Amino acid sequence: MKIDFIKTICPYCGCGCGIILEVVDGNIVKTLPDKDHPVSRGQLCIKGWNAHEFVHHPDRLTSPLLKGKNGFQKIPWEQALDIAAEKLKAAADKYGPDAVAGLSSARVSNEENYLFQKLIRTGFSTNNVDHCARLCHGPTAAAMARALGSGAMTNSIDDFVGADLIIMFGSNAAETHPIIMGKIYEARAKGATLIVVDPRRTEPAKNADFYLPINFGADIPLINGMMGHILDNGLEDSFFVTERTQNFEAVKKNLASWPMDKAVEISGIGPNMIAKVAQLYAKAKSASIVFCMGITQHSCGTANVHAICNLAMLCGQVGRQNAGINPLRGQNNVQGSCDMGALPNLLPGYQDVTDPGVRSKFEASWKTCLPSTPGLTVTEMTGQAGDNVKAIYIMAENPMMSDPDINHVRERLKKLDFLMVQDIFLTETAQLADLVLPGACFAEKTGTFTNTERRVQLLRKAVLPPGEAVDDFTILNRLAQKLNLDFDYKNPEEVMDELATLVPIYGGINFTRLESAGLQWPCPSHDHQGTSFLHKDNFSRGKGLFVVPDYTPPREMPDPEYPLVLVTGRMFCHYHTGTMTRRSKTLSQEAAHPFAQIHPDDALALNISQQDSVRVSTRRGSIVLSARLTRDVRPGSLFIPFHFAEAPANALTHEALDPVSKIPEFKACAAKLAKEESKEDRKHDSRKGQDI
Ligand code: SF4
C-alpha cells in the first residue's frame, strides 16, 4: 500500500485555507488541515474537511462528448479538439471576431485563466472574455480601482484580529467565509466592537454589538447619514482627507442633500443608531470594513462600493494595518482570475485594453495584434447569444445556474451555432452543449490560486484525473496548437514566469518562492517579500478619489401582485452552483434540499406551516421548495439559496444591471408566495371538479 500526504489549497471559498490530501494507492481517502498554513493554521470549515469527497465521484466526465441526434456520444480527444477549433474559427470567419466569446473560471488555476484569456484574445481577436467575478465583485473591482487604484482587499485576513472595530456590510461570513469569521470573532473576544449591517438577521448579526437591520438596497443613504454626522461633529480625519485624497468637496456638497431624516427614512435605521456607529467608526484606532454581495449585487452596486470607500477615506481608516476596506472574494480563485485578465476590458494585471502602450507590451510578448475595444461581459454574452454572439466556449462555469433569469439564458444558449463546455461534471450548462471536454479538478493539477487577501499559493497534484480527462492547462495548449497559435508551454510554471514579465504586481513571483507560505501581491521583484496591506503612503492611483455615489432603489419593488422582496444567497454547506458540494456525501447529507426562509407572519397569512411545500414566483418563473419559517428574515421578504438545480433561485431573479459593472441585482426583486397543493389535495380538488 502506498500512502502520500499532499499539501494543497481548499477548492472552495476565497479564504484559501491549507489542506493536506491523504492519498492511498492513487485514491484520496481523507482531507486534513494544514497546521503550517499562514491563514488557516490547522483550521477548516465543513467544506474544507470534506474537500476530497467529490473528486472520485462516479459522475465525473471521463471522455470528450459530442452531441448527436441520440444525445451525447464519446469521441476521441483528437477529434474533439479538431471540432472545437473548426467550429470556433468558423463562427469568427463567418460573422467576425466578436461572434466568439469565452467564459473563464474562478475555479481553475491562475495559469489556466491566463492561457484561456490569451487564447480567446489571440485566437479570435476579440476581448469577449469574462467570468463569474462579474456576478459577485464586479462593482468592487470597478469602484475600488477607480477610487484607490486597486480592486482588491486592502488588508490581510490576520489584520482582522488586530482591529478594534469591524463593520460588516452585507456579508454573512459565518456561512460564506467561516475561517475569516473565526478571525472576526477572535477580534471581538479581544475587545473589538462588531457592527453588522444586513436586512437579514444572520449569525454575525446575532453576535454583533450593534445590528442595523437596514432596508433592502439602502446602504448609500445609511453611509451618507453616517458621513453627515461625522462632518457635523468634526470627527473626520481632515489631515488624511487633505493630504491623501481628492474631490472631497464634491462629496461634501452632495452630503448637504442627505439630511439625517432622509437617511433614516430610506435606510430604516434610527438617527441615534446612525450617529452611534458613525462615532464609533470615526473614533476607532483601527476600523476595518468588511463587505460582500449584500453591497455589490444591486443595480447601484458600484455606487455602494464608492460610498464605502468615501467613508473609509473620510475617517483615514485605510492604508494602515488592521484597518482598511475588505471585500471578501467568494470563490477560491476569483481574485486570481481577475488578476489574470479574464475580463473584457482588462489585460492581465488590470492593464487597460484601450491603452495603446499596454497593448503593445502584450503584443510584443504574444507576437500578435490585440483588439482595442472592450468585449462583452458574462450577462451581455448570454443576452446576445444567437444574435451577435454565435459561439461560446465555457471553461468550468455554469451560467445555467449562476446567471439571472435562467429560463431566458437557456433560450439564448440554444440559439448558438456552437456551445462548448469544459468541466469536471455534466453541469446544467454542459447538458446544453454541442461539445463537452472533460477537465481535471483541483486535486489533479499543479498551478496557483490567489486567495481573497491577494496571497498567491501553490496547488499540488495529488492524483490523476479519471479516464481520459486532462487538466485545463493541457486542453488549452492543445486547442491553441489546433488554432495555430504560438502556445508551447511545458508546464504551468512557465506560464507564471511569462506572466511575471508582463504583470508588475506578480513581477517577483515564481513557483519556487511560493513553496512555503505563498506571497501576497504586489510583489514586484525577486527580493520583495510581498505586501500585507495596500495604500500605505500613497494610494495605488496616487491620491484617493472621492466619488459622489448616486443612490437608486432596487429596480423591481414589491407591488400588489408580487408583494414580497426576494433575496438569494449562499449557505454554509454548499458552494456556488453546487456542482461539487452536492456530490459530496457529507455536505449533501447536511444540506440536502432547497428551501425558502419565510417570516412566520407571512406564513400565517398564507396558511403555510414549517416544511410545507411552497411555490415562489416572480415575473420570470416559479419554483417549488420547502418552507423554513424563521424570524431571521423580515416580514415581507424571502431568502432562497441558489445552489439547488431542482429549485433554481435564478429562475426567479431578474436582469436589472448595475450600469457600470453590469452586475445583476440578485439581492432584491419582487416575488409572491403560495402554499403548493400536495398530490392528495390535487386529487381531491379534481374529484371535486368532477362532482360539480
Ligand atoms: Fe475551504 Fe473556505 Fe472552508 Fe477554508 S473557509 S476550509 S477555504 S471553504
Side-chain angles (χ1 to χ4, degrees):
M1 188 161 50
K2 184 172 183 304
I3 304 179
D4 288 313
F5 293 91
I6 308 294
K7 267 188 180 215
T8 191
I9 304 301
C10 176
Y12 291 122
C13 87
C15 293
C17 298
I19 58 173
I20 297 172
L21 298 173
E22 183 177 335
V23 183
V24 178
D25 292 337
N27 285 309
I28 309 172
V29 296
K30 204 186 276 179
T31 305
L32 301 162
D34 180 357
K35 291 191 178 62
D36 300 325
H37 190 269
V39 174
S40 51
R41 296 193 183 88
Q43 293 190 317
L44 297 175
C45 76
I46 189 170
K47 291 194 285 288
W49 277 106
N50 297 288
H52 62 286
E53 285 196 350
F54 71 88
V55 174
H56 303 303
H57 195 281
D59 288 354
R60 284 290 303 273
L61 291 169
T62 55
S63 65
L65 301 172
L66 181 67
K67 192 176 273 169
K69 282 193 189 118
N70 300 317
F72 284 116
Q73 290 200 326
K74 293 182 180 184
I75 57 168
W77 265 111
E78 211 50 32
Q79 185 187 353
L81 292 169
D82 283 339
I83 293 170
E86 181 194 315
K87 294 283 186 183
L88 292 170
K89 261 176 78 61
D93 290 346
K94 188 168 175 190
Y95 301 103
D98 293 332
V100 174
L103 275 186
S104 198
S105 173
R107 282 200 288 120
V108 307
S109 71
N110 286 328
E111 295 71 21
E112 290 161 343
N113 271 288
Y114 178 87
L115 290 187
F116 187 90
Q117 60 82 35
K118 182 174 173 181
L119 182 143
I120 295 291
R121 288 186 158 115
T122 60
F124 305 103
S125 201
T126 178
N127 284 310
N128 286 347
V129 59
D130 202 9
H131 72 289
C132 69
R134 179 79 40 211
L135 307 177
C136 55
H137 276 295
T140 304
M144 287 178 67
R146 185 172 173 214
L148 315 178
S150 166
M153 192 166 151
T154 61
N155 286 57
S156 298
I157 293 172
D158 267 356
D159 272 8
F160 293 128
V161 181
D164 61 347
L165 181 141
I166 297 168
I167 180 163
M168 300 175 75
F169 285 96
S171 165
N172 184 4
E175 303 230 11
T176 58
H177 300 82
I179 294 299
I180 288 178
M181 197 66 225
K183 306 269 182 190
I184 292 171
Y185 285 149
E186 200 181 326
R188 186 159 183 269
K190 286 169 64 181
T193 303
L194 177 60
I195 299 167
V196 173
V197 180
D198 202 310
R200 281 199 302 142
R201 205 164 60 100
T202 57
E203 188 206 290
K206 289 173 196 166
N207 288 293
D209 297 288
F210 298 92
Y211 168 45
L212 282 62
I214 191 173
N215 287 336
F216 294 98
D219 301 276
I220 291 171
L222 172 68
I223 293 170
N224 282 347
M226 289 173 68
M227 289 179 66
H229 180 82
I230 288 165
L231 283 172
D232 289 347
N233 291 277
L235 298 173
E236 73 275 20
D237 185 337
S238 16
F239 180 79
F240 188 93
V241 170
T242 309
E243 295 297 314
R244 299 278 314 264
T245 71
Q246 63 189 94
N247 203 35
F248 173 62
E249 285 309 314
V251 167
K252 189 175 175 186
K253 194 169 156 210
N254 176 60
L255 287 174
S257 63
W258 282 94
M260 183 62 96
D261 55 353
K262 186 175 167 187
V264 168
E265 187 193 336
I266 300 176
S267 70
I269 305 299
N272 293 340
M273 181 64 97
I274 295 178
K276 180 74 184 170
V277 298
Q279 284 174 32
L280 287 169
Y281 180 76
K283 289 179 180 175
K285 199 166 132 237
S286 299
S288 174
I289 293 177
V290 171
F291 71 91
C292 212
M293 289 180 274
I295 282 288
T296 57
Q297 289 181 333
H298 286 285
S299 53
C300 59
T302 303
N304 284 346
V305 180
H306 274 302
I308 283 175
C309 295
N310 290 344
L311 175 64
M313 289 191 291
L314 180 70
C315 301
Q317 297 284 18
V318 60
R320 288 188 285 116
Q321 196 166 17
N322 308 126
I325 305 167
N326 296 299
L328 304 185
R329 300 290 178 149
Q331 298 196 64
N332 54 345
N333 198 34
V334 75
Q335 181 64 57
S337 44
C338 292
D339 299 347
M340 296 303 113
L343 297 166
N345 57 334
L346 296 169
L347 285 155
Y350 306 97
Q351 300 178 77
D352 196 332
V353 293
T354 63
D355 183 330
V358 165
R359 279 201 314 280
S360 59
K361 177 172 79 169
F362 281 89
E363 285 168 348
S365 170
W366 294 352
K367 302 186 187 72
T368 190
C369 189
L370 288 170
S372 59
T373 316
L376 299 174
T377 62
V378 171
T379 41
E380 289 170 337
M381 281 176 205
T382 46
Q384 296 181 28
D387 294 340
N388 304 333
V389 176
K390 302 292 186 185
I392 301 185
Y393 174 13
I394 299 177
M395 174 173 69
E397 288 261 307
N398 191 7
M400 273 302 301
M401 283 288 289
S402 59
D403 279 20
D405 192 2
I406 55 173
N407 292 322
H408 180 65
V409 173
R410 182 186 300 106
E411 292 315 309
R412 280 291 175 180
L413 292 179
K414 281 183 177 173
K415 289 182 179 176
L416 287 168
D417 288 6
F418 182 62
L419 174 63
M420 178 165 84
V421 175
Q422 180 172 314
D423 213 313
I424 59 172
F425 292 109
L426 195 65
T427 62
E428 292 70 23
T429 308
Q431 288 166 31
L432 299 178
D434 300 294
L435 181 65
V436 178
L437 304 180
C441 77
F442 81 104
E444 299 155 352
K445 56 174 76 165
T446 54
T448 60
F449 284 160
T450 305
N451 79 351
T452 190
E453 62 168 7
R454 300 168 276 101
R455 184 178 297 276
V456 188
Q457 311 191 82
L458 271 186
L459 195 61
R460 295 176 179 91
K461 184 172 179 169
V463 290
L464 294 171
E468 295 170 34
V470 291
D471 57 75
D472 303 275
F473 166 84
T474 304
I475 299 172
L476 288 160
N477 267 297
R478 290 177 65 187
L479 179 57
Q481 283 155 12
K482 294 277 181 194
L483 291 164
N484 297 319
L485 301 178
D486 183 26
F487 279 36
D488 187 23
Y489 301 96
K490 291 185 187 57
N491 50 47
E493 199 168 350
E494 279 193 4
V495 179
M496 177 59 83
D497 291 344
E498 175 177 309
L499 167 75
T501 65
L502 292 165
V503 174
I505 55 176
Y506 277 69
I509 295 178
N510 58 44
F511 276 27
T512 308
R513 293 195 71 203
L514 297 178
E515 276 293 340
S516 58
L519 285 164
Q520 285 176 277
W521 67 252
C523 178
S525 59
H526 288 129
D527 56 356
H528 195 284
Q529 296 308 306
T531 308
S532 70
F533 68 93
L534 304 178
H535 316 302
K536 183 164 176 274
D537 299 314
N538 288 299
F539 285 99
S540 303
R541 69 180 296 280
K543 295 224 172 196
L545 181 69
F546 278 92
V547 176
V548 174
D550 287 330
Y551 166 67
T552 52
R555 296 277 179 81
E556 193 183 53
M557 297 296 272
D559 57 26
E561 194 182 356
Y562 293 93
L564 304 170
V565 177
L566 169 66
V567 179
T568 64
R570 298 178 179 207
M571 55 190 291
F572 184 50
C573 285
H574 286 301
Y575 165 80
H576 211 231
T577 66
T579 308
M580 300 188 294
T581 51
R582 295 206 70 201
R583 288 180 174 89
S584 157
K585 194 168 160 232
T586 309
L587 298 174
S588 54
Q589 275 170 357
E590 286 289 321
H593 303 294
F595 61 85
Q597 289 185 333
I598 303 166
H599 192 277
D601 293 353
D602 295 326
L604 186 66
L606 294 164
N607 194 28
I608 292 168
S609 303
Q610 193 72 274
Q611 294 195 355
D612 273 355
S613 205
V614 293
R615 180 174 292 275
V616 178
S617 310
T618 67
R619 291 182 173 86
R620 274 70 56 194
S622 75
I623 58 174
V624 175
L625 63 180
S626 170
R628 191 171 287 182
L629 275 48
T630 170
R631 292 183 189 281
D632 292 349
V633 290
R634 60 172 60 198
S637 72
L638 302 165
F639 172 79
I640 300 178
F642 68 89
H643 314 289
F644 297 92
E646 63 272 41
N650 281 322
L652 308 177
T653 49
H654 77 143
E655 285 177 313
L657 298 180
D658 170 45
V660 180
S661 68
K662 311 285 171 69
I663 196 171
E665 192 156 52
F666 291 115
K667 288 295 184 223
C669 71
K672 64 183 176 186
L673 172 70
K675 185 170 173 174
E676 181 76 348
E677 292 175 342
S678 68
K679 281 185 189 147
E680 282 308 305
D681 288 341
R682 280 199 291 273
K683 266 191 225 155
H684 178 71
D685 283 351
S686 66
R687 280 200 298 275
K688 242 178 20 185
Q690 284 161 11
D691 288 346
I692 291 165

